[in-house]
Amino acid sequence: MGNKVCIMGLGYIGLPTAAFLSNSNFEVLGIDVKQEIVDKINDGQIHIVEPGLEEVVKQGVKSGNLRASLEVSPSDIFIIAVPTPFDEKKRANLRFVDEAVLSITKVLKPSDLVIIESTIPVGTTERVRDMIHSVRPDLFSVENEQIYLAHCPERVLPGNIIQELINNDRIVGGIDAESTEKAVNFYSSVIQGQVIKTNSKTAELTKLIENSFRDTNIAFANEVSMICESLGIDTWELIGLANRHPRVDILNPGPGVGGHCLAVDPWFVVESCPDSSVLIKTAREVNEEKTNWVYQRVLEKIQSLDNQEVTVGCFGLSYKQNSDDLRESPAMKIYNLLNDAGINTIACEPNLDSLEGDTLLDTNEAIKQSTIILFLVGHDEFRDISEESLRDKIVIDVCGVMRR
Ligand code: SAJ
């Protein structure tokens, strides 16, 4: 198999993958739909924040092994890493996958390998096979070597993507044994982790279940926090005590679950089999409700202050600690709800230099100007805040950052 790789989608997964492969002796063409992203990458720069990524991109571009473009070209391996959001009815929106598939189908040749890394509902890889067949039946004629199609879900943790790309085990599920073998050989040639074979539907569901498992466990922690609050029990003390049990490991409650993974993927499972995914669906609803629950607690606190002039300092706005990513951020939802209710707020997000249309204050200034200190995200910067500086403040610590 040749060493030309075409990667469709240069986001949080596509770009690190393109950069990593371009430094692993592959000739990589990265495709995106935004000219400014293409231009930035060809200048050796990046449009996302990920530790260590810019260096790897620079090396790839400088070596001539990494190039970005709007247009696909014939390659030997095609990796689809485009977003798979859900629509207002919580159903998978596969428009970007379909557009990527139709783009590459024009340049596919027999023996090419197509890998879908995007997170997709069960059965999508087989549906893609049928899409390719309907446009290019020639690729499936007996005279030609077949094309190979597999799903290989990513499982890298944003903030540690480069290392996890190299070291994580990967699951590969082909539409047939030959496709699985081709994809296994490809990944085995570039990563340190183990490459484990399965079929495409199992690979699709494995990814969804990984994230559903985490979402359900976070929902349990969030429900525990709401129970503790209603019973007047300290959440963090209770979880600390329960986790001393050798087989109990309750996760951290927070303002809800954000990001484009855990807040999305479980809904693909619910869509595939609604009657059998009651717990997964309920966990999603608990995590979504937690965000509103936090907002209501803040309102109650303000009302208890007899409507004196109150300023609520929102500490942490990104979707998770030590991240700058605001996508699906529950902290941002709470911040916006407070603003929409006409409450004076202050935004403090140490991982951002600016926030569209809003002023960001640094931690010390935000503390000074706030009546209520609302810790929404447990950034490391907040752990250095002294008890002294909070002495005459009302503190609502949603994420337990002051308890670690
Ligand atoms: N969160 C909590 N409490 C916790 C842990 C997390 O409230 O104890 C919240 C976070 O604040 C955040 C959300 O959950 O809002 C998700 O954070 P996360 O730490 O679970 O990580 P993600 O979404 O950035 O990455 C997850 C990872 N999946 C698993 O850990 C099973 C990652 O490995 C996946 O590759 C990624 O989803 C993905 O892209 O699917």
Side-chain angles (χ1 to χ4, degrees), residues 2 21 47 79 131-132 140 172 262 294 332 342 346 351:
L21 291 174
H47 60 293
I79 297 178
M131 273 176 70
I132 296 173
F140 295 80
V172 174
L262 270 59
V294 170
M332 271 307 287
I346 280 174
N351 295 290

Side-chain angles (χ1 to χ4, degrees), residues 13 119 154-158 164 207 210-211 214 218 222 251-262 265 319-321 330:
I13 300 305
T119 302
E154 52 77 22
R155 47 172 50 152
V156 292
L157 192 68
E164 291 209 357
K207 169 67 184 180
E210 286 166 1
N211 280 351
R214 187 155 171 87
I218 295 167
N222 281 326
L251 297 181
N252 297 320
V257 165
H260 51 297
C261 319
L262 270 59
D265 301 353
Y319 90 90
K320 73 173 189 177
Q321 65 186 48

Side-chain angles (χ1 to χ4, degrees), residues 295-398:
Y295 169 60
Q296 294 302 331
R297 296 294 76 70
V298 177
L299 289 187
E300 284 168 11
K301 178 55 74 180
I302 292 169
Q303 280 145 21
S304 72
L305 299 174
D306 298 330
N307 292 325
Q308 73 185 45
E309 193 55 33
V310 170
T311 298
V312 179
C314 294
F315 289 73
L317 295 175
S318 57
Y319 90 90
K320 73 173 189 177
Q321 65 186 48
N322 304 329
S323 164
D324 71 319
D325 191 346
L326 296 176
R327 285 179 295 175
E328 300 282 326
S329 165
M332 271 307 287
K333 283 176 189 160
I334 292 166
Y335 174 66
N336 291 331
L337 283 168
L338 291 168
N339 282 314
D340 294 348
I343 288 156
N344 291 334
T345 59
I346 280 174
C348 174
E349 178 39 76
N351 295 290
L352 285 177
D353 297 329
S354 62
L355 184 69
E356 236 170 75
D358 281 309
T359 308
L360 283 176
L361 294 187
D362 69 35
T363 304
N364 292 330
E365 192 53 36
I367 290 172
K368 274 189 205 138
Q369 295 190 27
S370 301
T371 317
I372 294 177
I373 308 284
L374 178 60
F375 286 116
L376 291 168
V377 186
H379 296 317
D380 288 348
E381 288 82 358
F382 299 151
R383 293 188 195 166
D384 304 332
I385 294 171
S386 68
E387 296 287 336
E388 177 60 23
S389 63
L390 300 177
R391 200 179 43 191
D392 60 352
K393 306 291 181 183
I394 295 166
V395 177
I396 301 176
D397 183 0
V398 173

Side-chain angles (χ1 to χ4, degrees), residues 230-282:
S230 65
L231 296 177
I233 289 170
D234 181 300
T235 297
W236 313 104
E237 180 189 7
L238 177 119
I239 290 175
L241 292 173
N243 282 353
R244 288 180 137 344
H245 185 291
R247 284 174 299 288
V248 172
D249 180 20
I250 302 170
L251 297 181
N252 297 320
V257 165
H260 51 297
C261 319
L262 270 59
V264 175
D265 301 353
W267 287 119
F268 291 0
V269 178
V270 175
E271 180 183 3
S272 302
C273 42
D275 298 339
S276 309
S277 49
V278 176
L279 177 61
I280 289 174
K281 180 171 183 286
T282 306

